[in-house]
Amino acid sequence: MNYCALKNCDVANGPGMRISLFVSGCTNHCPGCFQPETWNFDYGEPFTEETEEEVLRLLDHSYIDGLTLLGGDPMEPSNQRALMPLLRKIRSRLPGKTIWCYTGFLLDEELLREGSHPRCEVTDEMLCCLDVLVDGRFQEELKDIRLNFKGSANQRIIDLPKSLESGQVVTLTF
């Protein structure tokens, strides 16, 4: 997996002070995407063990609330596989940190549906590591800069643990 940016003090992509990892690779190609260069899976730098340790080091401060995964799309199967070792380490070493993930894929229609493109052998484990999933493709005609933590009105901010437990999408409002 490649990544294009690692931001160490992000306040725009989730509540509080966050570390944000922008991964490369996205097959959604949403018109109006603010980072179309990240559609290319080869864009940016390789995500190495050193990068993973840097993310963990940056997260290990009391003023950092958690990690946000963006892209590209972290829920592309190859990105899921590459991110799982990091997510396991965060859950083990830093259990108080929240993990947010932005994806163009819908939780109930794509990520949980057998046989869909984004679903792979680590999808269920990855979803269980996440606290919040912001899902849905960016829709330029529904863009509203007044929305908190999402780019277009169709996107949902999902409480993932509650949704997985209940079997129904539980959204959050900010």
Side-chain angles (χ1 to χ4, degrees), residues 87-143:
L87 298 182
R88 288 180 194 117
K89 288 176 184 173
I90 293 169
R91 287 298 176 218
S92 173
R93 294 186 203 174
L94 303 163
K97 304 296 180 177
T98 60
I99 303 174
W100 279 48
C101 180
Y102 284 76
T103 182
F105 301 111
L106 295 173
L107 174 65
D108 43 347
E109 295 178 25
E110 295 168 287
L111 295 172
L112 294 175
R113 196 182 87 224
E114 292 297 328
S116 68
H117 162 71
R119 189 149 173 84
C120 68
E121 72 281 358
V122 298
T123 301
D124 290 338
E125 182 182 7
M126 182 157 172
L127 291 172
C128 287
C129 288
L130 303 175
D131 296 292
V132 173
L133 184 74
V134 182
D135 80 345
R137 288 165 180 78
F138 173 74
Q139 293 182 9
E140 196 166 18
E141 66 277 8
L142 297 176
K143 178 181 178 179

Side-chain angles (χ1 to χ4, degrees), residues 7 17 24 29 35 52 56 89 107 123 131 157 169:
K7 295 187 178 183
M17 187 70 66
S24 296
H29 298 180
Q35 291 192 156
E52 190 175 281
L56 291 164
K89 288 176 184 173
L107 174 65
T123 301
D131 296 292
I157 302 173
V169 175

Side-chain angles (χ1 to χ4, degrees), residues 21-59:
L21 175 63
F22 291 78
V23 302
S24 296
C26 181
T27 57
N28 290 314
H29 298 180
C30 301
C33 173
F34 77 104
Q35 291 192 156
E37 64 276 8
T38 66
W39 297 350
N40 182 342
F41 285 84
D42 295 322
Y43 180 75
E45 302 294 322
F47 186 78
T48 63
E49 286 185 32
E50 291 79 16
T51 313
E52 190 175 281
E53 287 303 317
E54 176 70 3
V55 171
L56 291 164
R57 186 187 67 73
L58 291 170
L59 279 171

